[in-house]
Amino acid sequence: MSAARRRAPAAAPPHPADPMPALQTLLQALPFACAAFARSDGALLAANCLYHEEFAALAGHDRRESLLQALHGSDVDIDPGSEVRAPHNQRWYSLYWRDTEHEGRALSLLTAVDISERIEALDSHKSRQEKLLFTSRLMSVGEMAATLAHELNQPLAAIVNYLNGSLRLVDQAGGPVQVERALHAARTQAEHAAAVISRVREFVRAREPRRDAQDLAAISATVLELLRLEAERQQLRIDVALASLLPEVYADRVMVEQVLLNLVKNAIEAMREVPPAQRGLRIEARVNLDDEIEVRVCDRGKGLSQAESEQLFSPFYTTKADGLGIGLAICRSIIEYHEGRLFFEPRDGGGSVFGFTLPRAEGRV
Ligand SMILES: Nc1ncnc2c1ncn2[C@@H]1O[C@H](COP(=O)(O)OP(=O)(O)O)[C@@H](O)[C@H]1O
Ligand SMILES: [Mg+2]
């Protein structure tokens, strides 16, 4: 709130140059900037202190026409209560013009209500929402993987260096062949981890979508490579059953990898509580009746109730303590961008199926 607005309005004396002292006193009692202009020639007849404080710096503030021109950009006020930004102080005002009579004179009365705070509150709410959306995008599974990849890259490079150094030392000293073999094995593993990480980084690099003909077998191989460790840890086998001679899809490869990764991750997470022997994850793909490619990720988790399945795709819906609830929302927007459909259905014999469709590349590239 401006300093002018906070002051008690009735306390200030009338403006000395005012030709209508009674009107001046009246205006002084109002808690907004007010001014009265003669309807005959548009001259300023009376105004309260708030008006002088807030508008004195505006050239032409003492004539109705020039004021209208400065504030509305036209010499008529078309819209009562119109919200304008004053050019001299960059504050927002709601302006009301009213015709009235006082002591036999026809007046045009202006009330200018400072609404800057409301406008700023609206703006900051909007920018908060935009930030939230931005954060939610940043926090996608892929972005978290990027952070991890970044953190792991340095120590891995150091491990490979130490192992190379140790191998040289063992070689020079003619050390035991078992040690040399173990060091070689360790280096192979570290190099493999580094390769996985560089794949992750490539996978999440921010970029414009680029659609062309893509092979689903290659996409699912990348995703499985990224999730191999996690699946092993959960003693989970992932079956891949792609129809033979599956046509290529018209898609952005990285985006579809992200969708499949999210769905398979959800499927793995859905089976955390299921005994290892009953865990089963299957990725299927085939051409459906609409001549689209349909990919299905089937798990043996506990499935979803009707109420749960209705909320699935809403952003921030999660039933996991460590969940973000944005995975499926992101998947859906990616698939819709591809003119496809993301869907859920219960799996025969228990568990869930999350699937999506993509158009064929044929005829589009
Ligand atoms: N395969 C699945 N089986 C059972 N529930 C699932 C499955 N996939 C998703 N869900 C439910 O949908 C919610 C939202 O999933 P998602 O958007 O990926 O967010 P998050 O995984 O962070 O919770 C999950 O918390 C879970 O309740
Ligand atoms: Mg998820």
Side-chain angles (χ1 to χ4, degrees):
M1 183 170 285
S2 72
R5 290 278 305 276
R6 237 174 274 128
R7 192 169 308 149
H15 197 257
D18 205 294
M20 297 184 80
L23 181 58
Q24 169 70 41
T25 310
L26 204 67
L27 295 186
Q28 196 57 43
L30 297 172
F32 312 110
C34 291
F37 300 86
R39 271 223 297 282
S40 52
D41 61 359
L44 178 67
L45 296 178
N48 61 8
C49 284
L50 284 175
Y51 182 80
H52 289 295
E53 280 168 19
E54 295 184 38
F55 291 93
L58 179 62
H61 76 286
D62 52 356
R63 301 209 73 82
R64 183 174 183 273
E65 285 69 30
S66 49
L67 188 62
L68 279 170
Q69 195 67 50
L71 292 178
H72 297 270
S74 127
D75 57 5
V76 281
D77 172 37
I78 345 143
D79 175 20
S82 51
E83 299 181 347
V84 302
R85 185 166 212 177
H88 64 296
N89 62 2
Q90 300 302 311
R91 295 191 68 81
W92 285 91
Y93 292 95
S94 198
L95 300 181
Y96 300 87
W97 290 92
R98 292 277 187 280
D99 287 347
T100 183
E101 305 274 327
H102 185 78
E103 292 173 351
R105 294 191 72 161
L107 302 177
S108 186
L109 201 64
L110 168 68
T111 311
V113 181
D114 188 332
I115 53 166
S116 308
E117 275 164 65
R118 181 162 65 77
I119 300 276
E120 275 154 26
L122 276 176
D123 283 354
S124 92
H125 178 67
K126 210 170 124 218
S127 81
R128 260 204 311 279
Q129 281 199 321
E130 272 160 12
K131 259 191 219 127
L132 189 64
L133 204 68
F134 183 66
T135 318
S136 76
R137 276 196 221 114
L138 274 185
M139 292 297 286
S140 71
V141 178
E143 293 293 340
M144 285 189 289
T147 313
L148 255 185
H150 180 75
E151 295 296 322
L152 291 179
N153 217 26
Q154 300 296 329
L156 267 175
I159 289 170
V160 171
N161 277 341
Y162 283 128
L163 288 171
N164 282 335
S166 307
L167 272 168
R168 265 196 308 278
L169 289 176
V170 170
D171 189 40
Q172 281 162 12
V177 70
Q178 291 94 329
V179 174
E180 194 178 338
R181 220 179 281 144
L183 287 174
H184 268 295
R187 188 179 64 182
T188 307
Q189 289 298 318
E191 281 168 353
H192 177 70
V196 170
I197 280 174
S198 78
R199 179 96 50 87
V200 171
R201 302 185 85 177
E202 188 185 319
F203 167 79
V204 293
R205 232 182 14 232
R207 49 190 273 285
E208 287 293 301
R210 205 178 50 233
R211 295 173 74 182
D212 46 30
Q214 293 294 341
D215 174 24
L216 264 174
I219 290 178
S220 74
T222 307
V223 170
L224 290 188
E225 180 62 30
L226 288 168
L227 289 172
R228 203 168 53 88
L229 275 181
E230 196 159 336
E232 271 169 20
R233 235 193 332 267
Q234 293 226 20
Q235 306 171 42
L236 188 85
R237 233 170 57 95
I238 304 182
D239 292 325
V240 181
L242 308 183
S244 56
L245 302 177
L246 193 66
E248 288 178 315
V249 292
Y250 183 58
D252 178 287
R253 174 171 176 149
V254 175
M255 287 183 135
V256 176
E257 282 173 356
Q258 181 165 10
V259 171
L260 193 59
L261 180 80
N262 276 332
L263 296 185
V264 176
K265 255 180 105 70
N266 276 349
I268 294 176
E269 286 162 6
M271 292 188 284
R272 271 182 198 158
E273 321 277 78
V274 175
Q278 289 162 35
R279 291 177 190 159
L281 208 169
R282 192 178 158 87
I283 302 174
E284 304 171 347
R286 60 183 173 92
V287 179
N288 69 12
L289 294 174
D290 294 324
D291 205 31
E292 303 156 322
I293 316 295
E294 184 172 307
V295 181
R296 301 161 69 88
V297 178
C298 317
D299 66 55
R300 288 273 179 233
K302 65 173 167 40
L304 286 146
S305 70
Q306 179 67 29
E308 284 170 331
S309 69
E310 277 162 19
Q311 301 192 62
L312 268 183
F313 302 111
S314 341
F316 306 116
Y317 171 74
T318 180
T319 55
K320 300 167 194 168
D322 55 349
L324 287 171
I326 53 172
L328 288 176
I330 290 174
C331 288
R332 184 155 77 170
S333 62
I334 291 179
I335 293 301
E336 285 175 357
Y337 166 82
H338 283 87
E339 306 142 83
R341 198 164 42 82
L342 183 70
F343 61 88
F344 156 77
E345 61 194 41
R347 184 182 187 185
D348 283 345
S352 322
V353 177
F354 280 83
F356 58 89
T357 61
L358 287 171
R360 297 173 60 148
E362 201 181 314
R364 304 190 63 153
V365 284

